[in-house]
Amino acid sequence: MNRVPTSRADEPRQELVRALARVAAGDKEALGDVYRRTSAKLFGICLRILRDRGEAEEALQEVYISVWRRAASFDPGRASPVTWLATLARNRAIDRLRAAGRPRDTDPIEAARNLADSSDDALTILEAGEERARIMTCISELEAREAGAIRSAFFDGYTYAELAVRADVPLATMKSWVRRGLLRLRECLER
Amino acid sequence: MSTVPPPEERDLLAAEYALGLLDGDALREARVLAGSDRDFARAVAGWEARLAPMLDEIEEVEPDPGLWGTIQRAVAGAPVASNDNAVQIDRSRRRWRAFAAGMTALAASLALLVGVQATRAPPAFVPEQPAGVLVATLSSEQAETSLAVAYDRREQSLLVTPGRLAGAAGHDHQLWIIPAGGTPVSLGLVRAGAPVRLSVPAAVAPHFRSRSAVALSVEPTGGSPTGQPTGPVVASGELVIL
């Protein structure tokens, strides 16, 4: 097998890929290894989305049980292990949020934050990691309402129908905002 | 109804699915697509990768130290799932939840109905695979449609237990199996009422494996004229080994 020389920064990623491969082979200790390396990040994600420690802990358990069951479906050629795990955590947390019937109406502070974050200043973007900086830059190029809707869907699990109600616009309007935003986002990220 | 969207439309649909913007029929159709169409599944994964860096803005938080023990205990008894193309249909998040909620009771009743043999193996014999019964619960988002299926490998037959099945005049419900990365294969028509046993042709039997998707679509009376689903998918689920 070709071994591409890895830089120092790549090493943790490679170790995580190897640990996931061992999990896929049924190695329970490797799952512990994955947990030690990633649980703080994934717990942060669950907590941000669910905003309830108990719920976030339940979600985190489900995430690692999924990792145990599904590690074989992780393809290191297609996604970084952290992306795969973070997406798993995000999706699991959103599922729980919906299952709980979303008792909260998004508080106005969060709504404002979704808008504010979409126009991060240049310094914040500079300090962010490369991938994050790219998506921040691209989101900041969208119109505020497009960016706000995309972020609300991503972090709060709102569907089109819910976003339309919250913004008090017809469903078709919301769809066209989001779709235009997504197309521009894709174009910007491919630049 | 389920016309194949042009590439641009498809990629947007993949983005909408990845973001969780869809509900109702659109969600069900995207889910079946994600489970049956490799390119679509890849497009969904592409969007997930594009969006995931947004999660980097979230600060890390250490979970309670006791949590790892709970996970270890949960994992201790669970078998590792088969690894065949699991990624696509694994996106069936709602199905999974429905499965978790209803599985215990369903498993008990289906095991009795389908194959008591499974539990009758001599205790000294530990099979590589868990007992050979595959089950799936099919449900829709608002649970207006639900049914359970159990596949008996030995008999090559499928026991279909309709739960809620809203009849529509001039239409039939058709059951499909969708192998990971494959196209739907008809299993026959399903009507409300008592459980029925459908025999599964030898050519279709290999599709019955853990994590294949099973879906129910609304079709013209007598079934789909094209051999592929033409109407909306009203319920779907994922096969698991009991």
Side-chain angles (χ1 to χ4, degrees):
Chain A
M1 221 163 70
N2 279 337
R3 236 192 108 79
V4 182
T6 52
S7 72
R8 231 165 252 276
D10 253 2
E11 200 44 44
R13 174 180 166 149
Q14 294 306 322
E15 282 169 11
L16 194 51
V17 168
R18 283 194 288 272
L20 282 171
R22 275 162 42 223
V23 173
D27 180 342
K28 290 188 176 114
E29 276 182 30
L31 184 68
D33 192 13
V34 173
Y35 184 86
R36 273 188 300 279
R37 290 169 189 274
T38 57
S39 56
K41 180 176 177 72
L42 302 195
F43 189 59
I45 292 171
C46 293
L47 198 58
R48 161 68 179 82
I49 291 169
L50 288 158
R51 286 174 229 159
D52 176 288
R53 215 177 155 95
E55 280 285 304
E57 286 182 349
E58 294 273 322
L60 193 69
Q61 282 178 46
E62 292 174 356
V63 170
Y64 284 98
I65 291 167
S66 287
V67 170
W68 174 245
R69 299 174 57 99
R70 296 168 41 177
S73 71
F74 167 64
D75 176 356
R78 256 200 237 165
S80 91
V82 172
T83 294
W84 186 73
L85 290 164
T87 302
L88 206 58
R90 181 261 171 188
N91 289 349
R92 182 61 59 187
I94 298 275
D95 275 353
R96 281 196 81 84
L97 197 63
R98 289 187 179 162
R102 200 194 304 279
R104 78 226 152 64
D105 194 12
T106 293
D107 56 282
I109 297 167
E110 201 56 52
R113 203 168 93 85
N114 277 341
L115 286 180
D117 282 359
S118 66
S119 55
D120 287 294
D121 59 72
L123 184 66
T124 319
I125 293 173
L126 262 179
E127 286 170 347
E130 190 188 339
E131 279 195 312
R132 185 188 158 199
R134 282 187 68 199
I135 190 129
M136 284 166 82
T137 305
C138 290
I139 291 245
S140 71
E141 286 178 12
L142 303 180
E143 283 184 38
R145 64 191 186 194
E146 296 167 3
I150 289 171
R151 286 183 56 89
S152 294
F154 188 73
F155 287 111
D156 302 318
Y158 285 115
T159 60
Y160 272 139
E162 291 165 330
L163 289 171
V165 169
R166 291 178 67 237
D168 197 20
V169 295
L171 186 60
T173 306
M174 181 51 72
K175 278 191 186 175
S176 76
W177 287 357
V178 171
R179 291 186 141 217
R180 194 165 53 222
L182 288 168
L183 286 175
R184 287 172 56 186
L185 193 61
R186 189 185 65 188
E187 191 219 359
C188 172
L189 288 169
E190 279 164 6
R191 242 181 251 156
Chain B
M1 190 90 196
S2 322
T3 49
V4 177
E8 185 73 349
E9 190 65 19
R10 265 207 168 199
D11 197 53
L12 276 172
L13 185 67
E16 292 169 332
Y17 183 57
L19 265 174
L21 287 159
L22 306 172
D23 56 16
D25 287 347
L27 175 63
R28 283 192 282 279
E29 287 181 28
R31 191 181 288 149
V32 168
L33 212 49
S36 60
D37 183 319
R38 208 176 277 268
D39 289 338
F40 185 76
R42 202 168 288 150
V44 172
W47 274 102
E48 285 177 343
R50 280 185 196 113
L51 297 166
M54 287 213 281
L55 296 167
D56 291 347
E57 73 184 54
I58 298 172
E59 282 188 29
E60 299 196 348
V61 183
E62 287 293 337
D64 186 289
L67 209 58
W68 170 239
T70 315
I71 293 167
Q72 263 182 316
R73 282 190 294 280
V75 158
V80 186
S82 63
N83 61 359
D84 41 326
N85 293 310
V87 70
Q88 290 101 327
I89 41 185
D90 265 343
R91 291 205 40 94
S92 54
R93 310 198 289 248
R94 277 167 205 277
R95 264 189 270 146
W96 176 247
R97 197 168 59 231
F99 157 72
M103 213 54 222
T104 317
L106 182 86
S109 56
L110 284 179
L112 282 173
L113 281 166
V114 173
V116 193
Q117 297 96 320
T119 56
R120 241 192 261 147
F125 171 68
V126 182
E128 276 271 70
Q129 287 258 320
V133 179
L134 283 162
V135 297
T137 48
L138 282 69
S139 57
S140 58
E141 207 180 5
Q142 268 81 38
E144 69 269 25
T145 308
S146 65
L147 67 159
V149 299
Y151 177 68
D152 183 339
R153 278 187 218 276
R154 203 169 280 109
E155 301 284 322
Q156 292 200 351
S157 73
L158 187 70
L159 184 75
V160 182
T161 311
R164 220 168 308 168
L165 209 56
H171 289 92
D172 270 333
H173 285 102
Q174 192 162 1
L175 194 64
W176 307 85
I177 184 155
I178 308 159
T183 51
V185 178
S186 174
L187 297 171
L189 300 179
V190 174
R191 296 199 168 87
V196 288
R197 196 178 280 272
L198 303 172
S199 70
V200 174
V204 182
H207 296 322
F208 280 87
R209 52 196 304 176
S210 173
R211 293 174 174 259
S212 283
V214 181
L216 189 75
S217 70
V218 175
E219 299 295 338
T221 307
S224 162
T226 67
Q228 285 293 298
T230 61
V233 170
V234 290
S236 54
E238 181 177 299
L239 285 171
V240 294
I241 296 172
L242 199 61

